Amino acid sequence: MKITLLHGQMHHGSTWHISRMFLDRLRDDQTEIAEFYLPKDGPDACVGCFRCFMEGENHCPHAEAVQPIAQSVEAADLLILESPCYVFGMSGQMKTLMDHLAYRWMVHRPHPDMFSKAGLCISTAAGMGSGQVTKNLEKQLFYWGVAKTWRFGANVGAFSWETVSAKKKETIERNVDWMAARIAKTLERKIRPDLKTKFIFSIMRLNQKSNQWNPIDKDFWSEQGWLTGGHPW
């Protein structure tokens, strides 16, 4: 199994520690793990040039930083996105990476392998908001086409992992155990997208059939055989 883990921060805080818990429970001797720490391993801010949409992802001025991450995401069986809660949202550096991967949304050029992948979104907050972050991260995975996703949010009531109460840590450990077991069981079988994903994909197919503004997108859908009734699952 291959796991790609995207860290929305550089420090080893509560969110990072929970991501390690999941890795410890999901990995075995054969697991390949790729980790990217943002902003160190990521791109500069998106400049809104539309070149990824209109010319192709390799024409992005930050392609050198974006494409190694994109290729790891496309090769993984399980994607883990984690970010602490900053003002009820994901970290700015994680949002910057998501902006650069917008060309992989279903409305543009979704990678066919995404529709058989699983994803996990993790966040913590010192006060409130971890649930909002995991929902926003899950939205990114959904529009990439990721077939099955989980969300793990924890409002830890502390500014560092070291000061999280023992009782709270015990609760987190139990919840991680439960969710990791479900993820592992799901990964043992072929994963298929749900009806919502299939419905959105069908809407995007109609959109691409009438697409007169972006030949790169339309050609991609045609090459995949999706405009004539094919699908990636």
Side-chain angles (χ1 to χ4, degrees):
M1 176 174 69
K2 295 181 179 181
I3 299 174
T4 293
L5 171 51
L6 307 182
H7 297 278
Q9 77 292 320
M10 297 287 293
H11 64 275
H12 293 177
S14 298
T15 311
W16 181 88
H17 277 85
I18 292 173
S19 74
R20 306 320 293 181
M21 290 183 191
F22 274 103
L23 284 184
D24 290 343
R25 288 154 177 78
L26 292 169
R27 66 170 43 162
D28 58 29
D29 293 339
Q30 306 300 316
T31 303
E32 298 178 27
I33 298 173
E35 297 184 63
F36 297 90
Y37 286 86
L38 305 174
K40 176 176 69 71
D41 299 323
D44 293 335
C46 175
V47 297
C49 65
F50 283 84
R51 293 183 69 183
C52 64
F53 297 138
M54 306 304 294
E55 300 177 43
E57 58 269 25
N58 291 321
H59 293 274
C60 169
H62 305 136
E64 186 175 350
V66 175
Q67 285 310 302
I69 300 175
Q71 291 162 15
S72 181
V73 165
E74 291 158 7
D77 302 295
L78 173 64
L79 308 175
I80 303 178
L81 276 56
E82 62 97 321
S83 171
C85 175
Y86 294 161
V87 291
F88 281 156
M90 68 183 78
S91 68
Q93 46 268 38
M94 178 65 85
K95 180 60 167 60
T96 289
L97 177 61
M98 296 300 105
D99 291 344
H100 280 82
L101 295 173
Y103 71 91
R104 281 303 188 202
W105 272 39
M106 273 190 274
V107 69
H108 293 291
R109 302 188 299 279
H111 195 283
D113 289 348
M114 289 294 151
F115 295 85
S116 60
K117 296 186 188 299
L120 169 63
C121 304
I122 303 170
S123 181
T124 65
M128 298 176 63
S130 63
Q132 184 65 40
V133 176
T134 57
K135 287 180 181 178
N136 288 337
L137 292 172
E138 184 181 43
K139 179 172 66 177
Q140 302 298 320
L141 294 180
F142 174 79
Y143 283 106
W144 290 352
V146 173
K148 177 65 177 177
T149 56
W150 290 266
R151 294 187 286 116
F152 189 97
N155 299 325
V156 297
F159 291 111
S160 69
W161 182 248
E162 290 72 25
T163 56
V164 176
S165 70
K167 183 177 180 180
K168 176 68 73 171
K169 286 181 178 178
E170 289 174 4
T171 300
I172 290 172
E173 290 265 7
R174 288 196 302 271
N175 291 339
V176 168
D177 287 342
W178 177 81
M179 187 171 289
R182 293 189 66 188
I183 294 172
K185 187 174 182 179
T186 298
L187 290 170
E188 292 175 356
R189 63 178 187 270
K190 183 176 178 61
I191 301 174
R192 296 182 180 276
D194 60 15
L195 289 176
K196 180 180 178 182
T197 300
K198 292 178 179 179
F199 174 74
I200 296 298
F201 182 86
S202 68
I203 297 298
M204 295 303 104
R205 188 206 314 273
L206 294 175
N207 179 66
Q208 289 298 334
K209 284 183 176 181
S210 61
N211 180 359
Q212 299 297 322
W213 70 279
N214 189 343
I216 296 291
D217 284 358
K218 189 168 187 177
D219 288 348
F220 175 85
W221 277 70
S222 179
E223 290 166 4
Q224 299 297 324
W226 295 343
L227 296 183
T228 54
H231 52 70
W233 53 85

